[in-house]
Amino acid sequence: MPRPSKPKPVEPAKPKPEDFGLNAKRVCKFKEREEPGCLAVASFVGIYLVAYLITIHMVFAGSIAAGMFLIINVGCLIAVGLLSCLFFAVAKAAWKALQPDVGAYERYQAAEKSYRESLADYAKDLALWYRTQEEWWRSLSGPRFEREIGRLLQDRGYHVQFTGASGDGGVDLLLLGPRGQTVLVQCKAHKQPIGPGPVRDLFGTLTHRGVTEAWLISTAGFTSGARDFAKDKPIRLTSIREILQEDI
């Protein structure tokens, strides 16, 4: 039975500041206040004090007083850094609380977060949707086409063994079906329909290995000669369109 085609996922709409009674300038102002400015100031103070301490240590090098001086001033350095961060955090919170449109900005922030999460889900859904489109399959290289066919068949309940790299008689995949059947699969990512030559080769491999079934999967279909040769033989010629539309 043909599979129903899935509609292409719709990209979620990005929230706009105007939807929340804001403008780009106000949003930038809020975001500037959220930047960790205290860390920048604390870093500057720290670098200055470290340079100062090194200078003092060089003056009093080797003395007990220099060691005590360093210990005391390192403690002061840590205290200055913590107090700077605390001051800026309190100042930022106080500024934000006094803004009349802080509620609108928080709603805008929540909408942006939800949008980013939806965008990640959209990217996953879009990738899955492309796998249902013939054009996407036809754009794949030969090795990629083999891997994606194997993945698709795995999703449909087959145990898939990849054999193409070993050049095993031109067989790309070896399947163990849900009913215990063994199937040889050859994948052809060609731009033109497949002629009878590859079908004859696959039939020879099938006979040599004593397997009862083989599939030849093509992105471009088959010529009438190929179909005539496969007729009444345990070889299934199937296009990517048929793969996508049917359960096999």
Side-chain angles (χ1 to χ4, degrees), residues 47-67:
I47 292 172
Y48 177 81
L49 288 179
V50 167
Y52 173 72
L53 293 176
I54 291 174
T55 302
I56 296 298
H57 182 68
M58 291 176 66
V59 174
F60 299 99
S63 67
I64 297 177

Side-chain angles (χ1 to χ4, degrees), residues 139-182:
S139 70
L140 302 179
S141 65
R144 177 77 185 279
F145 182 61
E146 295 169 16
R147 293 195 300 270
E148 293 296 342
I149 287 292
R151 178 182 169 188
L152 180 65
L153 295 175
Q154 283 177 331
D155 292 342
R156 296 188 182 181
Y158 290 90
H159 174 75
V160 179
Q161 179 181 348
F162 293 85
T163 63
S166 64
D168 193 2
V171 175
D172 300 314
L173 308 173
L174 183 64
L175 308 184
L176 180 62
R179 298 182 298 278
Q181 73 274 30
T182 300

Side-chain angles (χ1 to χ4, degrees), residues 30 33 89-103 106:
F30 274 106
R33 291 286 178 170
V90 171
K92 180 175 66 177
W95 178 89
K96 191 173 182 180
L98 293 174
Q99 304 308 304
D101 52 356
V102 64
E106 289 175 347

Side-chain angles (χ1 to χ4, degrees), residues 9 26 76 95 143-144 147-149 164-165 187 202 204 221 235 241:
R26 281 299 288 166
C76 292
W95 178 89
R144 177 77 185 279
R147 293 195 300 270
E148 293 296 342
I149 287 292
C187 305
L202 183 59
I235 297 178
R241 176 179 300 177

